[in-house]
Amino acid sequence: MKSQAFPPLASPVRPAPLSLAQARRLHLAAQGLLQPLGRRARAADLVTTIERMRLLQIDSIHVVARSPYLVLHARLGDYPSNWLDEALAQGRIAECWAHEACFVPAADLPLHRAWRERGAHWAHRHAARMHREHRAEMDGLLERIRTQGPVRAADFPRADRGASGWWEWKPEKRWLEAWFALGELMIPRRERFQRVYDLAGRVLAGLDPPFVPSTLDPTGLRRRFILDSVRALGITQARWIADYYRLKPAVDDAELAPLVASGDLLAVSVRGWNAPGYLHREHAPWLAKARAGQLRATHTALLSPFDPLVWDRARAQAMFDFEYVIECYTPAPRRRYGYYVLPILHRGALVGRLDAKAHRAEGVFEVKALFLEPGQEATPRLVDDIAAAIARAAAWHGTPAVRLKRSEPVALGRALRARWKAAGVAR
């Protein structure tokens, strides 16, 4: 009997690489920056937003709104800033060391405390050394809180009243921060952004959802933080993952291969990248939409210097061709753009930056300087969107009058002033 001939099996079709623009939209979708919220924000949206990002970095610089509030404004629009303080006081979020000092979802705190117990973070190691050197004083401070209740650093007078800055903290402030890093103290609430410190056990008892210690071993914790980082980033190269939670050692493709094999991560190619991109399996629907051109970037917003979108300089450069340095830590003569420079997100691209200051007593939002990126054209839509984004941010700050001092190109400044004059917000 003659054997039947079968056609050869077809090789599996490899999907075409994503374009860089498609990768950007995945990144923005995961971060909640692809499109405006589309409705008035609700208090629950604040916690959901932090859950989406996994963490919200804390910084106290106050020339405009402090960073965590500004990060949320870029995603939620006009929301009452006291919602963040209320979420902390209600136990929906908590403070801990993660990327840096951060707000994290209460549900994630068991992971962070288990990771802290490994002593892997530099803050924990520094705090342990401080305790060895100041054991009697620190133990006495902890006993005072145990018997007399929560304290603020402001409750302790300082001898050198002219000193300022974190590098000149009074001893009690350093000891409170050390106990916080060691996990013995936590922050049940803030008062005018000042931390209130209390025993961890008392704060943990009020978390929502209730605190249940993690049973994951170090390998399991690292795996969880890797997966959460990829989920928060939307799409990422291996070399950008460790920075999100400050993991050590760095993450590489070999470590991610088992997660791809198990289906927890998806590996994709992106044109122009010399390394694979990775997505969390939960983002597979977004990947399909990105390939089909169904992810549209329509949002324009001012970003905090400590926004997760831009805090990794290498990632911002590769993803958006945006070179960014946080110049508030740079001596003034060496600054290129200004002290507290906010990147401008416009419809899927980082198109510029501005140096701003909110003069709250005068009700003025001052734009000291605004710069478009090289090659960006000041089209009518870009001008309209940036003018509206600045006006929204100004109104939310309680400084509704906008004053622009300088812009590059100059024509952009003229166009913006005309838009604000027509809207009645120019100063």
Side-chain angles (χ1 to χ4, degrees), residues 109-142:
L109 192 63
L111 304 172
H112 292 285
R113 286 185 69 84
W115 190 254
R116 177 198 56 77
E117 289 169 4
R118 299 182 61 217
H121 199 283
W122 68 265
H124 184 277
R125 296 194 298 272
H126 176 75
R129 183 173 64 252
M130 183 174 292
H131 186 229
R132 289 193 297 270
E133 296 171 355
H134 302 276
R135 184 176 299 273
E137 297 93 333
M138 286 183 62
D139 289 352
L141 178 59
L142 195 64

Side-chain angles (χ1 to χ4, degrees), residues 302 327 335-344 352-357 365-372 386 390 403-409 412-413 416-417 420:
L302 310 183
E327 293 186 298
R335 290 179 195 142
R336 182 178 176 188
Y337 296 108
Y339 176 72
Y340 201 72
V341 175
L342 312 181
I344 303 171
R353 62 197 87 200
L354 60 87
D355 184 22
K357 180 175 176 60
F365 190 84
E366 179 187 13
V367 180
K368 297 181 179 181
L370 189 154
F371 307 87
L372 278 189
I386 291 179
I390 293 173
R403 181 169 65 211
L404 173 62
K405 295 183 68 175
R406 180 168 68 95
S407 75
E408 295 182 14
L412 172 64
L416 289 171
R417 291 186 187 97
W420 293 325

Side-chain angles (χ1 to χ4, degrees), residues 213-244:
S214 173
T215 59
L216 292 176
D217 63 13
T219 300
L221 286 168
R222 181 176 169 90
R223 179 181 182 276
R224 171 65 184 271
F225 283 133
I226 288 172
L227 290 174
D228 282 352
S229 299
V230 178
R231 184 193 288 113
L233 290 169
I235 184 170
T236 179
Q237 295 182 24
R239 64 192 175 107
W240 302 330
I241 294 173
D243 177 71
Y244 210 76

Side-chain angles (χ1 to χ4, degrees), residues 50-260:
I50 297 174
E51 289 172 344
R52 167 182 272 176
M53 296 184 294
R54 312 312 303 180
L55 43 78
L56 176 60
Q57 184 174 342
I58 300 168
D59 190 85
S60 61
I61 295 175
H62 198 25
V63 292
V64 291
R66 290 184 175 93
S67 179
Y69 302 99
L70 193 58
V71 170
L72 293 167
H73 181 262
R75 290 155 175 81
L76 299 177
D78 188 6
Y79 77 99
S81 59
N82 65 301
W83 283 355
L84 181 63
D85 309 284
E86 290 173 358
L88 178 64
Q90 293 163 358
R92 302 291 306 282
I93 60 175
E95 294 192 34
C96 71
W97 282 94
H99 175 82
E100 292 289 339
C102 291
F103 297 107
V104 300
D108 285 359
L109 192 63
L111 304 172
H112 292 285
R113 286 185 69 84
W115 190 254
R116 177 198 56 77
E117 289 169 4
R118 299 182 61 217
H121 199 283
W122 68 265
H124 184 277
R125 296 194 298 272
H126 176 75
R129 183 173 64 252
M130 183 174 292
H131 186 229
R132 289 193 297 270
E133 296 171 355
H134 302 276
R135 184 176 299 273
E137 297 93 333
M138 286 183 62
D139 289 352
L141 178 59
L142 195 64
E143 182 60 25
R144 167 179 167 165
I145 296 171
R146 181 176 291 110
T147 58
Q148 299 181 29
V151 300
R152 302 168 305 155
D155 296 332
F156 301 90
R158 67 178 310 153
D160 50 343
R161 292 189 176 276
S164 63
W166 63 265
W167 59 92
E168 292 175 329
W169 279 346
K170 54 193 168 186
E172 291 86 356
K173 172 64 173 175
R174 293 198 298 270
W175 300 336
L176 289 167
E177 286 296 308
W179 279 128
F180 172 70
L182 291 168
E184 294 294 331
L185 295 181
M186 289 183 61
I187 314 301
R189 65 185 184 279
R190 283 178 175 253
E191 296 177 0
R192 295 188 177 183
F193 209 67
Q194 293 184 56
R195 279 175 163 166
V196 175
Y197 301 83
D198 200 358
L199 297 182
R202 295 200 282 242
V203 180
L204 293 174
L207 293 185
D208 179 18
F211 180 83
V212 177
S214 173
T215 59
L216 292 176
D217 63 13
T219 300
L221 286 168
R222 181 176 169 90
R223 179 181 182 276
R224 171 65 184 271
F225 283 133
I226 288 172
L227 290 174
D228 282 352
S229 299
V230 178
R231 184 193 288 113
L233 290 169
I235 184 170
T236 179
Q237 295 182 24
R239 64 192 175 107
W240 302 330
I241 294 173
D243 177 71
Y244 210 76
Y245 285 107
R246 298 289 203 243
L247 301 179
K248 290 185 178 181
V251 177
D252 59 20
D253 295 310
E255 185 174 11
L256 299 181
L259 297 176
V260 174

